[in-house]
């Protein structure tokens, strides 16, 4: 005989038995005042089978959810990334405009290296220049800035915590730096992340990339240790590894362009 | 809906049960993002939103979660939520998502989230859990903002990037920005000072 529980609605007394008592022992309420308490259904949260089933179901649900969100938003995200890349390229040219897309298609040409000259890049606008570099597509953005020609070269490398990248704009002598833009994925705020600050990026203006361009001479040195102001740029104190990363990034990426730049 | 217990869930984390100074949770991220005020505020808001949401989800699921894998379930819920939020931001508010990209990893591994899920959401209804999440997130944000205020002011001489102390007259008086303020250890020292101040003022928190 299964024991059922009955609760007195008058005083709250709980009676255990097959049926409700005739009268409540504490407040003498009749049997009709009792209601049966149904045992709460408990899921077998301790059993192995349940645990496995739960884990499997959870993984499938979450996987579907994430891939659904990711594919539903892919197109919009790609458009954002392209727009942002164009903004960054224009930033290195000190151009701020409300409509980067329009400005870009009017004034900037996406070219790639072929031998020591550049030819037009015919594919869709690319945003991952590291992958492009591995494919042998070294991009140069040729920009017409109020009648003057500027060359923008994308650079990429590694900082302390993650990727760093940027764009270096050169004057039409292909040697003097006109402007730069640097950004990072996860450098330390206040230290390495300062490469994103205009104050740091302005330090590159007017520097020379190299002399005869047999090698890239522009470099980032420890804060306050600039000896040759023609090529050397002050690093960030406290952000040494990120500064070194910028230095290595400039040397390796601009190094791919020496033939084009020395011509 | 606003019983005394719910009010407590919302308000005690701001003071007597602060996640950073009393529960001593989330210290690691408090070091990482408090060199400047702006990232500290962004991080505080993000943690508040994610803690509240994941508290609600876990609280709804709490009766079904197998006990032996509950930490994994909590982690999956938090990671999925953070990933979805960052994907949505990337599509509709790209600039914010770029700023937040640094914090995504820090939010997922923030021990405040796990601590509140385990200590509160597993035992309570969704609504109080939501309030508890908001309260703890704000309590965390409060400490981050206090720490970041001192670190940015004395480390860089600015607030929100606006110049406060970097003037010639200040420099001539012999004041220089303290580079140590920008280093992570200084965050620990400031948090310790806040804990000291708080315990000195609250008899309940003093150990006998």
């Amino acid at each position: 005989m299964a024991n059922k529980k009955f609760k007195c609605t008058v005083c709250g007394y709980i009676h255990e038995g097959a049926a409700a008592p005739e009268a409540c022992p504490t407040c003498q309420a009749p049997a009709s005042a009792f209601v049966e308490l149904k045992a709460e259904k408990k899921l077998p949260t301790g059993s192995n089978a349940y645990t496995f089933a739960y884990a499997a179901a959870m993984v499938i649900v979450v996987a579907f959810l994430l891939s659904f969100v990711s594919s539903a938003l892919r197109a919009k995200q790609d458009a954002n990334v392209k727009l942002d890349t164009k903004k960054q390229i224009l930033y290195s040219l000190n151009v701020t405009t409300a409509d980067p897309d329009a400005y870009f298609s009017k004034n900037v040409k996406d070219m790639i290296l072929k031998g020591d000259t550049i030819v037009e890049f015919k594919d869709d606008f690319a945003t991952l220049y590291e992958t492009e570099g591995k494919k042998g597509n070294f991009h140069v953005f040729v920009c017409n800035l109020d009648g003057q020609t500027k060359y923008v070269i994308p650079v990429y490398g590694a900082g302390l915590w993650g990727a760093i990248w940027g764009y270096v704009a050169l004057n039409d002598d292909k040697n003097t730096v006109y402007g730069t833009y640097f950004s990072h994925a996860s450098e330390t705020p206040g230290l390495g992340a300062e490469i994103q600050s205009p104050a740091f990026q302005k330090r590159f203006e007017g520097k020379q990339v190299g002399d005869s361009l047999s090698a890239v001479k522009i470099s980032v040195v420890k804060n306050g240790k600039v000896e040759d102001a023609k090529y050397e740029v002050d690093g960030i104190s406290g952000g040494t590894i990120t500064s070194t990363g910028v230095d290595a990034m400039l040397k390796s990426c601009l190094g791919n362009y020496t033939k084009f730049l020395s011509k | 809906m606003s019983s005394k217990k719910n009010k407590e869930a919302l308000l005690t984390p701001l003071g007597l049960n602060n996640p950073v100074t009393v529960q001593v949770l989330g210290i690691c991220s408090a070091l990482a993002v408090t060199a400047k005020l702006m990232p500290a505020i962004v991080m505080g808001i993000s943690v508040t939103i994610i803690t509240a949401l994941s508290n609600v989800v876990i609280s709804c699921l709490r009766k079904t979660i197998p006990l032996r894998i509950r930490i994994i379930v909590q982690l999956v819920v938090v990671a999925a939520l953070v990933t979805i939020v960052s994907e949505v931001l990337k599509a509709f508010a790209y600039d914010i998502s770029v700023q937040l990209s640094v914090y995504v990893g820090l939010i997922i591994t923030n021990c405040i989230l796990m601590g509140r899920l385990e200590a509160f959401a597993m035992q309570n209804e969704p609504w109080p859990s939501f309030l508890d999440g908001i309260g703890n997130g704000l309590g965390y944000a409060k400490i981050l903002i206090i720490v970041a205020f001192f670190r940015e002011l004395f480390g860089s001489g600015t607030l929100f990037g606006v110049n406060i102390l970097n003037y010639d007259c200040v420099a001539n008086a012999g004041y220089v920005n303290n580079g140590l303020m920008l280093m992570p250890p200084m965050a620990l020292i400031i948090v310790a000072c806040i804990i000291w101040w708080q315990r000195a003022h609250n008899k309940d928190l003093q150990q006998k």
Side-chain angles (χ1 to χ4, degrees), chain A residues 9 35 66 95 103 105 111 114 129 153 174 176 178 189 195 224-225 228-229 232 237:
Chain A
T9 52
V35 287
L66 288 183
V95 174
Y103 188 94
S105 52
M111 316 275 268
K114 197 172 186 193
Y129 297 109
I153 294 174
K174 297 182 193 164
T176 313
Y178 176 71
I195 61 165
K225 291 269 161 62
D228 189 349
E232 291 180 350
S237 56

Side-chain angles (χ1 to χ4, degrees), chain A residues 43 45-48 50-51 54-55 58 62 65-66 69-70 73 76-77 80-81 84 185-186 189-191 194, chain B residues 32 35-36 39 61 63-69 73 76 80 83-84 87-88 90-92 94-95 101-102 182:
Chain A
L43 288 163
T45 49
S47 89
N48 281 343
Y50 181 80
T51 305
Y54 195 92
M58 177 182 73
V62 170
L65 193 65
L66 288 183
V69 169
S70 164
L73 300 174
K76 222 164 156 40
Q77 291 176 354
N80 280 334
V81 171
D84 190 58
S186 45
L191 300 172
E194 292 295 298
Chain B
K36 295 257 146 99
L61 295 174
K63 284 183 181 145
T64 69
I65 295 175
L67 286 179
R68 272 175 288 173
I69 58 164
V73 174
V76 169
T83 313
I84 290 173
E87 292 271 323
V88 170
K90 221 175 179 180
F92 297 104
Y94 190 79
D95 291 339
S101 62
V102 189
L182 292 176

Side-chain angles (χ1 to χ4, degrees), chain B residues 3 12 15 41 43 45 59 68 83 95 101 103 110 118 130 133-134 142-143 151 159 163 180 182 184 189 202:
Chain B
S3 67
T12 53
I41 291 175
M43 180 73 180
I45 295 171
S59 169
R68 272 175 288 173
T83 313
D95 291 339
S101 62
Y103 308 112
N110 195 314
E118 185 66 8
F130 176 77
I134 296 278
K142 180 179 129 187
I143 301 298
R151 285 183 75 190
L159 285 175
N163 191 359
L180 183 62
L182 292 176
I189 295 174
N202 289 300

Side-chain angles (χ1 to χ4, degrees), chain B residues 184-198:
Chain B
M186 212 53 210
L188 272 189
I189 295 174
I190 298 175
V191 169
C193 290
I194 299 173
I195 294 178
W196 178 23
W197 181 87
Q198 196 185 15

Side-chain angles (χ1 to χ4, degrees), chain A residues 197-217:
Chain A
S197 69
F200 176 72
Q201 290 160 12
K202 288 269 178 288
R203 292 180 196 167
F204 286 83
E205 277 175 19
K207 302 284 172 192
Q208 306 283 306
V209 174
D211 39 15
S212 65
L213 280 171
S214 51
V216 177
K217 282 183 79 178

Side-chain angles (χ1 to χ4, degrees), chain A residues 111-260:
Chain A
M111 316 275 268
I112 53 170
L113 278 195
K114 197 172 186 193
D116 53 1
T117 56
I118 45 175
V119 293
E120 201 169 330
F121 183 62
K122 294 254 165 46
D123 277 351
D124 276 350
F125 184 74
T127 53
L128 295 167
Y129 297 109
E130 189 166 4
T131 341
E132 285 286 297
K134 280 185 188 138
K135 277 194 255 169
N137 293 342
F138 295 106
H139 287 255
V140 180
F141 298 95
V142 183
C143 179
N144 176 10
L145 197 70
D146 304 326
Q148 290 177 310
T149 309
K150 308 280 178 203
Y151 299 95
V152 180
I153 294 174
V155 292
Y156 41 81
L160 172 60
W161 303 112
I164 54 175
W165 63 91
Y167 300 90
V168 179
L170 303 176
N171 283 339
D172 55 1
D173 65 355
K174 297 182 193 164
N175 196 10
T176 313
V177 176
Y178 176 71
T180 57
Y181 175 82
F182 296 111
S183 189
H184 63 96
S186 45
E187 299 306 298
T188 325
L191 300 172
E194 292 295 298
I195 61 165
Q196 208 174 6
S197 69
F200 176 72
Q201 290 160 12
K202 288 269 178 288
R203 292 180 196 167
F204 286 83
E205 277 175 19
K207 302 284 172 192
Q208 306 283 306
V209 174
D211 39 15
S212 65
L213 280 171
S214 51
V216 177
K217 282 183 79 178
I218 190 168
S219 48
V220 182
V221 296
K222 259 197 177 168
N223 192 272
K225 291 269 161 62
V226 173
E227 281 167 356
D228 189 349
K230 205 170 155 194
Y231 303 109
E232 291 180 350
V233 180
D234 239 349
I236 293 158
S237 56
T240 310
I241 297 180
T242 312
S243 302
T244 318
V246 174
D247 182 62
M249 164 168 96
L250 289 174
K251 292 224 164 79
S252 77
C253 292
L254 293 179
N256 295 325
Y257 294 84
T258 42
K259 269 190 187 158
F260 164 70

Side-chain angles (χ1 to χ4, degrees), chain B residues 87-115:
Chain B
E87 292 271 323
V88 170
L89 283 179
K90 221 175 179 180
F92 297 104
Y94 190 79
D95 291 339
I96 297 176
S97 87
V98 169
Q99 283 183 359
L100 282 178
S101 62
V102 189
Y103 308 112
V104 169
L106 285 173
I107 296 171
I108 295 177
T109 52
N110 195 314
C111 28
I112 291 182
L113 285 160
M114 300 301 282

Side-chain angles (χ1 to χ4, degrees), chain B residues 60-82:
Chain B
C60 292
L61 295 174
R62 71 186 186 283
K63 284 183 181 145
T64 69
I65 295 175
L67 286 179
R68 272 175 288 173
I69 58 164
R70 65 184 192 284
I71 301 279
I72 300 173
V73 174
Q74 291 163 8
L75 194 64
V76 169
V77 167
V78 173
L81 266 178
V82 173

